[in-house]
Amino acid sequence: MTTPEPQSSAPQPSAPQSPDRIYRSPAAMAGGFLLLGIAGWLGIDAIVSGEGRTPWLALAALILLVPLVVAFTLRPAVFANQERLRIRNPFRVIVLPWGQIEALRSGYSNEAVAAGRKFQLWAVPVSLRGRKKAARREERRGADGAGRGGAFGGGLSGLSGAGGMLGGGRTAVPDGPVRAETDRIMDELRELQEAQAQAKSEAAQGEVTVRWAYEVVGPAVAGAVLLAILIATG
């Protein structure tokens, strides 16, 4: 009678990564598509109908400008999940585990501080105009609330107790102060950071990594070199 050999335990699949929250700047993306359309229209027209060195100059300019426009308008994004904050800036990709992030700051720009270094969130730009607009809305909401409170409280207080007529018809006022869109996004990121700091999850630990976006830098440098050679030999 043979003794059955113990079977080796099958490797446990790793826990799936939580889905990302993705933040971008709609205004930057709209401007990027517009600039790419104009550059493509002018550049292709110069390549097709230009004479002499013009097509080559237009081609070199497109090779230089298109990656730069994409880098500063369409590329920037912020990805946040339960484990880390990934910042895709024009020329770099920064991965910050929540356990390494010391603070998320908002001033004239939105920044993440990790390992004693500051990393700017290009995809979440600060809008001073948006802050002023939110402040005006907050003031109007406060004034409207005070006006409604005085009118209802002084003139119709008796109806409230007699028939309950004011309970169903009163307009709901949103809780919390009115915030600009980018400030609201930073509030969400801070809440996620605080939640992960309290949970002390192992998945939220790790090292800060920074990678240069050579897929953007390479074509831009090649276009700049080609344009410089054409201008110098002209």
Side-chain angles (χ1 to χ4, degrees):
M1 183 175 179
T2 60
T3 304
E5 297 180 0
Q7 296 181 356
S8 60
S9 58
Q12 298 294 328
S14 58
Q17 194 176 51
S18 60
D20 284 329
R21 304 181 189 178
I22 304 175
Y23 303 97
R24 296 177 182 268
S25 172
M29 296 183 66
F33 284 119
L34 179 61
L35 290 175
L36 287 177
I38 295 174
W41 172 43
L42 297 177
I44 294 175
D45 180 71
I47 292 173
V48 172
S49 59
E51 298 179 356
R53 295 160 48 87
T54 301
W56 291 103
L57 289 171
L59 178 61
L62 284 177
I63 296 176
L64 170 63
L65 293 178
V66 169
L68 293 180
V69 171
V70 171
F72 284 96
T73 59
L74 305 182
R75 176 180 170 80
V78 173
F79 305 86
N81 61 22
Q82 301 293 329
E83 290 81 27
R84 49 95 182 114
L85 180 70
R86 183 162 64 94
I87 306 169
R88 194 169 68 190
N89 282 345
F91 301 116
R92 296 189 301 175
V93 177
I94 304 106
V95 179
L96 306 176
W98 289 115
Q100 293 289 340
I101 297 179
E102 302 166 11
L104 292 168
R105 298 176 180 173
S106 295
Y108 290 103
S109 64
N110 291 316
E111 300 173 339
V113 181
R117 302 170 62 185
K118 297 179 181 178
F119 303 97
Q120 186 174 354
L121 279 64
W122 278 80
V124 189
V126 169
S127 173
L128 298 180
R129 180 182 178 185
R131 286 179 176 175
K132 293 179 180 178
K133 185 177 180 180
R136 288 195 299 267
R137 291 178 57 192
E138 180 67 16
E139 291 177 0
R140 287 198 301 267
R141 191 179 73 167
D144 293 343
R148 285 196 301 268
F152 284 113
L156 299 176
S157 57
L159 295 177
S160 170
M165 295 176 61
L166 299 182
R170 185 175 300 170
T171 303
V173 178
D175 296 333
V178 179
R179 301 277 284 167
E181 179 65 19
T182 54
D183 291 336
R184 184 188 61 79
I185 291 173
M186 293 300 292
D187 290 341
E188 291 182 4
L189 295 178
R190 291 189 186 96
E191 291 175 0
L192 189 57
Q193 178 200 8
E194 292 174 359
Q196 296 308 310
Q198 294 177 0
K200 297 181 179 180
S201 171
E202 293 184 0
Q205 308 301 319
E207 297 295 330
V208 175
T209 60
V210 179
R211 180 182 68 84
W212 286 95
Y214 294 106
E215 64 274 14
V216 174
V217 177
V221 171
V225 171
L226 178 59
L227 187 62
I229 291 175
L230 291 173
I231 294 175
T233 58

